[in-house]
Amino acid sequence: MYAKVIVDVPAKPTNRAFDYVVPEAMKDLVTVGSRVGVPFGPRTVQGFVVELHEGTELDPAKLKPIAQILDLIPPLTPELVKLARWISRTYLCHEITALQAMIPGALKAKYERHVKVDEHGGRRGGHENVLMLPVPNQEEILNYVRKQETVRLETLLEKFAGDTLLVKQLLEDGVLTEVHMVKDRMSAKKALTVFPPENPEQLAAWQEELPARAAKQKLVLEYLQKHPEPIKLTELLSRLHITAAAVKGLAERGWVRLEEVEVQRDPYASRTFRPTSPLPLTPEQQKVFDCIKDAVLSGEQRVFLLNGVTGSGKTEVYLQSIQTCLDQGREAIVLVPEISLTPQMVERFKGRFGNRVAVLHSRLSHGERYDEWRKIVRREVSVVIGARSAVFAPFTKIGLIIIDEEHESTYKQEESPKYHARDVAIARASEHGAAVVLGSATPSLESMYRTGREAVLSATPDRPAFELLTMTSRVEGRPLPRVHIVDMREELKNGNRSMFSRALYKAIEERLHKKEQTVLLLNRRGYATFVMCRTCGYVANCPHCDISLTYHQSSRAIRCHYCGYAERELTACPDCGSEHIRHFGTGTQRVEEELSKLFPGIRVIRMDVDTTTEKGSHEKWLTIFKNRQADLLLGTQMVAKGLDFPHVTLVGALAADSVLNLPDFRAAERTFQLLTQVAGRAGRHELPGEVFVQTYTPEHYSILSASKHDYQGFMLKEMLMRKQHNYPPFHRLVLITLSHEQVQLLIRSGEAVAARLKELASQMQAEGTELEVLGPVASPISRIKDRYRFQCMIKYRGEMDIAGLVQQAVAVLDDAVKQRKLTVSVDVDPQILM
Ligand code: ADP
Ligand code: ZN
Ligand code: ZN
């Protein structure tokens, strides 16, 4: 048996699979998707088996055998291996990068030097005393290594610290040989566990048998009579207030058994989830549910775009659809944006499906995430809820994939592999015959477009058309909140320089009186809080990036958000020496300060990157808010999504147009989505809600439409704009970004690749393909970490092998990439154009 293996050689990534012999002993274990250690040059590296064959076209004598098999249950399925190939073709990345993205970080390989005894090795043949000295330790060392097959070199040297020279000699003589082992960064957690005897009746008799002074041992036996099940040693010790000696004594007598047992790090172990049962659906929900149910039962790939207003009960529809899927003995994946994977969300899924749910998100520790993931591999769960990468859950019978808030840009991974979870989900659904549900109150224009006539006509299994489902009202006829647009220019004219309009001020005050709650969104990113000299106009910029530095009050420092460069806050201008330094823009910290000035005693929770880095902090803040121990929740994007609190009756968006001014063709769409999402937090239950949107461009259609909850109106206007400018969804984009320390080389390279692209394009244009090459131009952020950045953009329409085209064009840069360290990054269907 021979295996083709994609190897992980970071210095020399390659898409080629290498051939290895499957040793007889591994035959039953190695399958497509197995993770193995294989010899590669002088080392052993990690790899993934992507094919198995009975024969080989190569000379079998020259092939090396697989050295290690790393897991008993392969971490990947044949379907995922195939998917990795698809990702590598579609998004232009190495196959190994795609494969690595599918497994948890804990399985990223680490390499260790081990030694083993070579029974036939040794220069003198046999294992006589190699130093020819009376060294009794030689046999001891060899036996120690033999017993464990291989031992880490460091461990061996530590254990036989006095015999380092001997170990060295044994290695030089070939009695011991070095082997490189692939190890996981993280392993299963184990704990010593006490097992009572098979027949617990004996315990009483043994207790009698013990001498009186063995009081502690008696205590243990007594406990085990009452609780005759295995218990963690540490737990037993703390319950009985005894030391391990007592238990060990019993183990020596053979009365109890002490054994290392794997334990799972369950991040939700300490929590109980109140079970919920399905709610009777509203007629709108029922209609949607019936469609999804039909699809799940049909066993065919079908994709639904569920456009349901905030609070229309999408989650309940998801839950019942998943139930249908589980009833069929199939599995379900639910994707949510990272920041909306709140305890509340988890509770709703755990409450309905209990321990059949695994949860994957980045706030778990490496170990916890690994253990959650292993529940999937071992088929202990059939539902997984997680952020983007959970789309790779190694299930084998997927019936349903749900992507909530499908418009979120975080579903696109920004580093290689630059995949979009939506497209990966659709690809997986095609293999599994599964249904895909894309849910949103504000579907992306890309998805909306695919419910249209043109998409239906050009549908392929790779790019199927979407079926549109809608839910237009909130459950129980609750009204959508009333939205007021506040023109901040008027406020300024009337002498109000505060960041709060008078209307919003009054509204907050009113909520404080009525003991209702407020959510305030400040959707400014860091760069809005720049530092400027009011005398000469100097702005503090990062010396390594083309970006202004951001002021952080807590550390009294100014920082670069791209490279982490930091310096102390300015007290005087470096250019003119003036002391009139001003920190511009309103970061969340400044809003918090102003709130406590305006409303003495107000209890504010601030949620932003600074206050939520600590593990569990996110949940802590939300729990405090939920328990109404705070009046106001202030934060960035992370307060806009997924929160469902009955006492929130007021929502304020402080700077609605800050996203609108970004140099990105999706700026209007993002603004509309964000305002709609945050407005959706208000009045979700009995109490009606009210929203204030503060803006300097109140006439902009994205703000007007959001204030009227008019998705349809916004979508049609925006579609028209996109069509006029040949932007997605009408055209598709590929962004090629080059970066290098020298501008000259960069410009030359940019021009070379653009010229080649244009040459290839003109051939295709002649054949009737719509394709346009733009650039090279400096990227919107023209320098990061001392490297300049240039970009080319391809706009095209229709189905074509765009990846193949880009690959051909980029090939002209091969030499510069190899010799001059030019970086080329290709982004297919980019979400961010910076
Ligand atoms: P969405 O995800 O569309 O924003 P949710 O699923 O969060 O909406 O539903 C909003 C609220 O309505 C939740 O508190 C939910 O429990 C409740 N709800 C959903 N469906 C029903 C129903 N059929 N009957 C009663 N309440 C419902
Ligand atoms: Zn920087
Ligand atoms: Zn100055």
Side-chain angles (χ1 to χ4, degrees):
M1 186 96 84
Y2 300 92
K4 288 199 183 294
V5 176
I6 298 270
V7 292
D8 177 17
V9 188
K12 240 189 4 196
T14 162
N15 257 352
R16 186 163 100 66
F18 292 86
D19 293 67
Y20 291 91
V21 178
V22 181
E24 196 57 37
M26 291 185 196
K27 251 188 181 146
D28 295 332
L29 289 175
V30 174
T31 64
V32 171
S34 287
R35 204 163 53 104
V36 291
V38 290
F40 193 82
R43 295 181 298 155
T44 302
V45 299
Q46 172 173 274
F48 294 88
V49 175
V50 294
E51 282 176 46
L52 281 173
H53 298 285
E54 288 291 346
T56 173
E57 63 270 27
L58 303 171
D59 178 3
K62 290 206 175 125
L63 296 184
K64 292 183 182 159
I66 292 174
Q68 279 175 276
I69 170 130
L70 297 174
D71 324 81
L72 285 178
I73 310 175
L76 298 176
T77 61
E79 180 246 334
L80 286 171
V81 168
K82 186 173 165 197
L83 183 69
R85 186 157 299 171
W86 178 85
I87 288 177
S88 115
R89 289 221 193 98
T90 309
Y91 298 103
L92 285 168
C93 67
H94 292 297
E95 231 170 297
I96 187 69
T97 315
L99 290 164
Q100 295 282 25
M102 295 176 171
I103 57 171
L107 294 185
K108 298 265 152 66
K110 149 180 113 173
Y111 299 101
E112 283 180 358
R113 285 198 306 168
H114 282 225
V115 294
K116 70 171 186 191
V117 179
D118 185 346
E119 299 295 351
H120 311 290
R123 235 185 319 184
R124 294 173 190 82
H127 290 162
E128 78 272 23
N129 189 336
V130 290
L131 283 188
M132 298 297 177
L133 291 168
V135 193
N137 279 352
Q138 177 170 331
E139 263 324 291
E140 204 184 318
I141 292 175
L142 294 183
N143 281 335
Y144 176 76
V145 177
R146 272 193 197 106
K147 227 166 94 189
Q148 308 182 58
E149 279 186 45
T150 75
V151 176
R152 255 180 80 210
L153 187 57
E154 286 83 358
T155 316
L156 189 68
L157 291 177
E158 235 165 67
K159 168 127 183 132
F160 296 96
D163 296 313
T164 352
L165 212 59
L166 176 58
V167 171
K168 192 170 162 243
Q169 192 64 48
L170 288 168
L171 272 166
E172 278 174 8
D173 277 19
V175 175
L176 286 177
T177 50
E178 239 183 288
V179 275
H180 294 260
M181 303 287 281
V182 184
K183 292 277 162 180
D184 295 341
R185 269 178 213 284
M186 185 77 54
S187 50
K189 189 170 159 184
K190 294 194 169 160
L192 266 180
T193 304
V194 184
F195 287 84
E198 303 261 324
N199 179 4
E201 252 114 77
Q202 293 167 295
L203 289 166
W206 290 338
Q207 203 178 342
E208 292 301 309
E209 211 176 295
L210 280 174
R213 63 190 154 76
K216 302 227 162 108
Q217 299 195 3
K218 277 177 189 279
L219 215 56
V220 174
L221 294 182
E222 196 179 297
Y223 179 88
L224 290 176
Q225 282 172 62
K226 281 188 213 133
H227 313 271
E229 56 273 342
I231 177 168
K232 260 197 266 174
L233 179 64
T234 46
E235 197 179 323
L236 183 68
L237 299 186
S238 77
R239 279 200 188 170
L240 302 182
H241 305 287
I242 56 172
T243 61
V247 183
K248 286 201 178 124
L250 291 171
E252 271 158 26
R253 285 171 181 263
W255 290 355
V256 300
R257 199 153 50 81
L258 258 180
E259 216 173 275
E260 290 265 17
V261 170
E262 205 171 291
V263 291
Q264 291 200 340
R265 287 158 281 220
D266 182 349
Y268 299 98
S270 59
R271 298 253 304 276
T272 50
F273 296 94
R274 204 155 39 84
T276 63
S277 11
L279 298 170
L281 296 177
T282 67
E284 262 192 342
Q285 283 175 321
Q286 187 69 45
K287 245 172 93 183
V288 168
F289 170 68
D290 287 342
C291 290
I292 299 172
K293 184 175 172 183
D294 277 352
V296 172
L297 296 181
S298 78
E300 280 169 28
Q301 178 210 37
R302 277 173 74 183
V303 185
F304 297 99
L305 179 61
L306 170 55
N307 178 13
V309 298
T310 55
S312 57
K314 293 186 287 296
T315 311
E316 184 61 32
V317 172
Y318 300 157
L319 291 168
Q320 299 197 19
S321 304
I322 293 170
Q323 188 61 57
T324 306
C325 173
L326 298 184
D327 290 346
Q328 283 226 300
R330 297 168 82 191
E331 298 142 336
I333 298 175
V334 185
L335 301 184
V336 299
E338 183 75 50
I339 49 178
S340 68
L341 194 46
T342 57
Q344 225 179 359
M345 197 70 166
V346 172
E347 210 168 290
R348 289 170 88 170
F349 284 83
K350 287 247 183 193
R352 192 66 59 85
F353 304 113
N355 53 16
R356 280 189 290 174
V357 182
V359 184
L360 293 170
H361 61 76
S362 66
R363 285 188 302 277
L364 300 179
S365 71
H366 262 315
E368 287 170 340
R369 203 139 35 127
Y370 174 49
D371 286 355
E372 288 291 297
W373 179 82
R374 279 190 313 155
K375 290 183 192 165
I376 306 169
V377 175
R378 296 174 174 160
R379 310 279 169 265
E380 290 168 7
V381 293
S382 28
V383 180
V384 57
I385 169 166
R388 182 179 59 223
S389 64
V391 76
F392 297 122
F395 281 142
T396 51
K397 292 174 294 181
I398 300 173
L400 180 62
I401 304 178
I402 291 165
I403 304 188
D404 192 32
E405 315 266 17
E406 70 88 32
H407 60 275
E408 277 293 318
S409 60
T410 56
Y411 285 124
K412 177 81 197 280
Q413 176 149 303
E414 291 303 327
E415 66 253 32
S416 190
K418 300 185 177 185
Y419 68 91
H420 199 299
R422 187 203 295 141
D423 296 324
V424 172
I426 291 169
R428 290 200 79 181
S430 147
E431 292 291 319
H432 288 262
V436 177
V437 177
L438 309 171
S440 174
T442 54
S444 64
L445 269 76
E446 278 90 343
S447 292
M448 208 58 202
Y449 180 75
R450 285 172 71 175
T451 63
R453 203 170 54 93
E454 204 169 324
V456 174
L457 292 176
S458 65
T460 64
D462 230 21
R463 278 183 82 72
F466 298 175
E467 300 169 56
L468 183 64
L469 304 171
T470 48
M471 298 203 294
T472 53
S473 50
R474 286 187 161 181
V475 291
E476 303 189 335
R478 291 166 197 163
L480 282 161
R482 184 142 174 244
V483 182
H484 312 270
I485 299 178
V486 185
D487 186 345
M488 291 305 276
R489 295 170 306 189
E490 289 298 315
E491 293 289 315
L492 205 63
K493 260 192 220 152
N494 294 328
N496 179 8
R497 300 185 159 274
S498 137
M499 55 185 93
F500 297 97
S501 58
R502 280 153 311 159
L504 179 56
Y505 175 89
K506 278 220 189 75
I508 296 176
E509 198 173 39
E510 203 180 302
R511 295 316 180 286
L512 288 173
H513 277 303
K514 290 202 279 188
K515 306 230 177 311
E516 293 172 2
Q517 290 178 300
T518 301
V519 169
L520 279 189
L521 168 76
L522 184 72
N523 54 323
R524 278 189 194 272
R525 300 258 166 81
Y527 56 78
T529 60
F530 58 100
V531 182
M532 193 172 105
C533 166
R534 294 167 77 183
T535 311
C536 76
Y538 164 89
V539 174
N541 276 320
C542 174
H544 310 288
C545 310
D546 172 36
I547 200 99
S548 55
L549 293 170
T550 300
Y551 180 60
H552 284 250
Q553 197 171 34
S554 52
S555 54
R556 306 202 135 253
I558 47 182
R559 277 217 180 94
C560 171
H561 275 206
Y562 282 89
C563 73
Y565 170 87
E567 54 182 79
R568 290 178 60 113
E569 69 176 325
L570 298 179
T571 47
C573 170
D575 268 9
C576 74
S578 156
E579 285 173 11
H580 297 287
I581 301 293
R582 177 152 171 206
H583 302 114
F584 269 92
T586 39
T588 41
Q589 295 171 348
R590 297 230 2 241
V591 180
E592 188 182 16
E593 272 177 22
E594 180 138 345
L595 278 169
S596 50
K597 261 186 232 149
L598 293 174
F599 308 100
I602 189 170
R603 298 168 302 171
V604 177
I605 290 177
R606 173 163 66 90
M607 268 176 51
D608 55 27
V609 282
D610 289 337
T611 64
T612 53
T613 42
E614 205 176 301
K615 190 165 180 272
S617 51
H618 198 93
E619 324 203 336
K620 184 184 76 189
W621 295 128
L622 292 179
T623 308
I624 294 175
F625 193 62
K626 180 181 165 191
N627 295 340
R628 299 173 73 194
Q629 290 159 321
D631 310 301
L632 188 145
L633 176 64
L634 160 71
T636 52
Q637 267 77 340
M638 60 181 86
V639 302
K641 299 184 179 88
L643 307 181
D644 186 24
F645 297 121
H647 294 277
V648 173
T649 58
L650 173 66
V651 163
L654 290 178
D657 13 44
S658 61
V659 171
L660 204 51
N661 297 327
L662 291 180
D664 186 325
F665 72 90
R666 288 194 183 88
E669 186 182 3
R670 297 256 157 80
T671 300
F672 176 80
Q673 287 163 345
L674 189 58
L675 292 178
T676 306
Q677 289 302 327
V678 75
R681 297 313 109 206
R684 295 171 67 85
H685 294 257
E686 281 73 35
L687 300 166
E690 198 178 22
V691 180
F692 289 83
V693 172
Q694 301 191 160
T695 169
Y696 290 91
T697 46
E699 63 287 341
H700 194 282
Y701 64 95
S702 66
I703 291 175
L704 282 175
S705 308
S707 75
K708 288 184 263 170
H709 308 289
D710 182 11
Y711 173 74
Q712 203 63 19
F714 168 78
M715 194 263 299
L716 292 174
K717 269 218 181 64
E718 183 68 12
M719 281 282 187
L720 213 63
M721 303 281 283
R722 302 282 182 90
K723 192 166 176 118
Q724 272 169 7
H725 295 100
N726 289 350
Y727 272 126
F730 299 93
H731 281 63
R732 292 176 70 187
L733 304 179
V734 178
L735 183 69
I736 304 173
T737 305
L738 310 180
S739 80
H740 196 269
E741 288 166 13
Q742 293 168 22
V743 180
Q744 292 309 324
L745 176 95
L746 205 51
I747 293 176
R748 273 204 309 278
S749 305
E751 274 164 3
V753 79
R756 181 76 181 119
L757 275 172
K758 283 174 185 160
E759 196 181 302
L760 293 166
S762 68
Q763 288 168 19
M764 299 180 79
Q765 281 155 351
E767 290 157 21
T769 310
E770 277 184 65
L771 191 140
E772 192 185 349
V773 178
L774 306 173
V777 294
S779 304
I781 296 171
S782 64
R783 190 172 53 132
I784 294 181
K785 294 186 194 171
D786 285 326
R787 294 176 71 92
Y788 293 91
R789 306 168 76 238
F790 263 68
Q791 64 185 35
C792 290
M793 180 127 73
I794 306 173
K795 280 186 180 178
Y796 70 101
R797 191 169 165 80
E799 295 302 308
M800 71 174 75
D801 178 20
I802 195 73
L805 176 96
V806 173
Q807 220 157 17
Q808 273 186 62
V810 168
V812 303
L813 301 175
D814 275 358
D815 284 344
V817 169
K818 279 203 194 91
Q819 289 159 25
R820 318 283 295 275
K821 299 208 174 78
L822 176 79
T823 315
V824 180
S825 119
V826 178
D827 196 347
V828 178
D829 299 331
Q831 281 290 316
I832 293 173
L833 301 176
M834 306 294 235

